[in-house]
Amino acid sequence: MKFTKSNIFFYSLIVIALLSPAPYCRIPLKNTFVYWFFAFCIVLLIPYMRREYNPIIRNKDYFFVKCFLIWAFIGAIRGFFIADNYWETKNMIGGILCCLIPAMTYVFCPTVLLKFYRLWIKICIPAFFLFYLWMVTPGEVNFYLGPVFVIGCFLPYMQKKWKFIIGFLLAFMLVADLGGRSQVLKAFLSICISLLCIFRKFVSEKMLRLAHWLCYISAIVLLVLGISGTFNIFADMASNSGKYVEKKVVNGELKDEDLSTDTRTFIYEEVLQSALRNNYVLCGRSLARGNDSNIFGASIAEELKTGKFERYQNELCHLNIFTWLGVIGMLLYSLIYLRSSYLAVYHSNSYFLKLIGVFIAFHWAYGWIEDSTKFDILNISLWSAIGMGLSSQFRSMSDQDFVEWFRAIFTK
């Protein structure tokens, strides 16, 4: 391997991919400073990679990415002055990395994604079967297999060998642990999009546009109803307590897990009450601070010895952005999704990019339930799809161009 800037970028992505499931691994893997080193190698090389591989872009397509990055920079500056202990400084660095992931959309052009996915399947899939399949709990393997959710959308266009391998990985995530509801739903989405590829003659462009807008509108409606106290979908699902139970082994003991348990309402309550109580609704609490937490705050304060009953990060993507950067940051972050999915659905030549647009819209809606904000391969994979929607090179592809590009991932 030649020691070039582009190789450092690509292999740093692979290292991040290999270290991403560390919190769920049965043996210690992750060293924070090693992780940060490779993460910052990636973000610091973004300007170079853009000049080298994607020099001509339509700036208006990336307008909201630029606005969000500027606002995140302001949040980081605020955090620098607000942080008053080691843990808040550490949190701020982690938050900065999370907020820099959207900058990778400038880089995710066809050439870069081809090289990245080709390298990922060459190194990370064999590593999964040799190591991670046995070392990571079944319900958490999605934190390692994030790219499968994107490339798995086009399963019918893979060579037979890769159809079997990727199909197995999707099926494994679908059934290995039904308690891992997020993993199951994401695998199911990829399988559904693959089916839309097979039965595309029955799926009109109007239907895809309808699905695209339904993702945004339904999420907004449910969010408004939930915050107003009119209807809470999480509480409604929890009313089916006892109907959907899975038996699983925990610490060597067989236990029942209720799949309908409401694990989200209290997070919304804590995040929103904290923002109102501390008056940071508009601009956020900065990248150094989290939300006040009655559930987790006491144990966190005792463990970290900070005296602050705060939880820095929750499982819900958009609520993390809201806590750190306020309504302004959350809106800018959301507008990146909307801009990308809209361009993919309405201004692309390929049916497959339109499917990617629906994929992006779904993940925006799902960000109100899960999609935790971390600098890991799962989030990088999601933003690679968002980058595809923003990329004029991808949008100009015909169906044949896209299939040729996609098949090239598996041919070398």
Side-chain angles (χ1 to χ4, degrees):
M1 181 187 75
K2 294 182 180 179
F3 194 74
T4 63
K5 291 180 180 179
S6 60
N7 279 338
I8 292 172
F9 178 85
F10 287 117
Y11 280 95
S12 293
L13 281 173
I14 297 303
V15 173
I16 292 298
L18 293 170
L19 295 179
S20 290
Y24 315 100
C25 201
R26 294 188 177 96
I27 63 174
L29 261 186
K30 186 175 178 181
N31 178 284
T32 299
F33 292 103
V34 171
Y35 199 87
W36 283 354
F37 174 80
F38 287 102
F40 277 108
C41 281
I42 293 168
V43 298
L44 291 175
L45 284 170
I46 287 174
Y48 167 80
M49 294 295 291
R50 179 194 164 182
R51 291 193 304 270
E52 187 73 12
Y53 291 96
N54 196 26
I56 302 174
I57 65 170
R58 296 175 57 181
N59 286 316
K60 65 179 182 179
D61 294 342
Y62 296 84
F63 175 75
F64 294 117
V65 176
K66 183 183 294 186
C67 291
F68 175 78
L69 293 174
I70 291 171
W71 187 247
F73 176 75
I74 294 171
I77 296 297
R78 290 176 56 220
F80 177 80
F81 291 102
I82 289 173
D84 62 4
N85 58 60
Y86 165 81
W87 294 107
E88 289 181 359
T89 302
K90 182 179 179 181
N91 287 339
M92 183 180 69
I93 295 172
I96 289 171
L97 286 171
C98 290
C99 291
L100 283 173
I101 294 180
M104 298 179 72
T105 57
Y106 284 107
V107 173
F108 286 144
C109 61
T111 303
V112 169
L113 281 185
L114 176 64
K115 291 187 176 185
F116 165 59
Y117 282 130
R118 187 179 280 171
L119 192 61
W120 186 85
I121 65 171
K122 178 181 179 181
I123 296 174
C124 296
I125 287 186
F128 175 76
F129 288 104
L130 292 172
F131 181 75
Y132 290 98
L133 177 60
W134 322 106
M135 290 294 120
V136 178
T137 53
E140 314 294 349
V141 296
N142 66 111
F143 292 101
Y144 181 79
L145 295 174
V148 171
F149 294 130
V150 180
I151 61 178
C153 292
F154 309 107
L155 197 64
Y157 300 95
M158 298 177 190
Q159 294 86 340
K160 187 174 181 180
K161 166 189 170 183
W162 288 106
K163 282 182 183 178
F164 176 79
I165 294 173
I166 302 299
F168 169 80
L169 294 175
L170 285 172
F172 179 81
M173 289 188 283
L174 190 67
V175 303
D177 183 0
L178 296 178
R181 294 172 290 187
S182 178
Q183 174 173 281
V184 171
L185 190 57
K186 291 173 186 176
F188 181 70
L189 173 67
S190 296
I191 293 170
C192 287
I193 292 179
S194 285
L195 291 174
L196 291 180
C197 291
I198 296 172
F199 300 106
R200 60 176 296 179
K201 65 180 180 180
F202 301 108
V203 183
S204 67
E205 188 171 326
K206 288 183 178 179
M207 293 170 67
L208 293 181
R209 290 180 177 182
L210 177 63
H212 167 261
W213 288 114
L214 277 176
C215 289
Y216 289 104
I217 294 170
S218 60
I220 292 170
V221 169
L222 289 173
L223 183 66
V224 171
L225 291 175
I227 292 175
S228 67
T230 305
F231 172 71
N232 183 345
I233 189 173
F234 304 120
D236 183 67
M237 292 172 61
S239 66
N240 294 310
S241 178
K243 292 184 180 180
Y244 308 102
V245 176
E246 180 192 27
K247 293 186 180 295
K248 63 188 300 184
V249 177
V250 180
N251 297 326
E253 297 182 10
L254 189 64
K255 295 186 177 181
D256 291 337
E257 181 176 7
D258 192 342
L259 304 183
S260 61
T261 302
D262 178 5
T263 59
R264 294 295 180 261
T265 297
F266 81 92
I267 297 178
Y268 273 92
E269 291 174 346
E270 290 194 337
V271 168
L272 296 176
Q273 289 171 5
S274 175
L276 291 169
R277 183 166 52 247
N278 296 286
N279 195 30
Y280 60 81
V281 172
L282 189 62
C283 298
R285 211 171 192 178
S286 86
L287 291 178
R289 300 284 297 275
N291 61 276
D292 298 346
S293 175
N294 294 323
I295 305 296
F296 300 102
S299 59
I300 293 174
E302 182 178 353
E303 180 183 355
L304 303 183
K305 310 300 181 185
T306 61
K308 296 179 180 178
F309 291 64
E310 294 178 10
R311 192 185 191 198
Y312 182 69
Q313 196 172 61
N314 291 291
E315 292 81 359
L316 289 77
C317 168
H318 300 313
L319 290 192
N320 289 329
I321 301 298
F322 168 73
T323 296
W324 300 337
L325 301 174
V327 169
I328 295 175
M330 187 181 67
L331 284 176
L332 291 173
Y333 194 78
S334 297
L335 285 169
I336 300 173
Y337 282 78
L338 179 59
R339 180 63 173 167
S340 176
S341 63
Y342 178 83
L343 288 172
V345 172
Y346 283 84
H347 295 282
S348 62
N349 296 326
S350 167
Y351 175 77
F352 306 111
L353 255 292
K354 298 181 193 303
L355 292 178
I356 286 292
V358 175
F359 177 91
I360 295 165
F362 170 85
H363 273 275
W364 179 84
Y366 195 63
W368 297 103
I369 302 172
E370 182 87 27
D371 273 358
S372 181
T373 320
K374 296 179 181 178
F375 194 98
D376 61 7
I377 195 60
L378 183 60
N379 279 280
I380 290 171
S381 301
L382 169 59
W383 282 90
S384 75
I386 295 172
M388 291 168 71
L390 293 174
S391 169
S392 59
Q393 292 183 49
F394 269 111
R395 297 198 310 274
S396 66
M397 286 182 174
S398 65
D399 284 348
Q400 183 178 349
D401 293 334
F402 185 88
V403 171
E404 288 177 0
W405 170 84
F406 181 73
R407 285 178 172 164
I409 295 172
F410 307 94
T411 55
K412 186 177 180 180

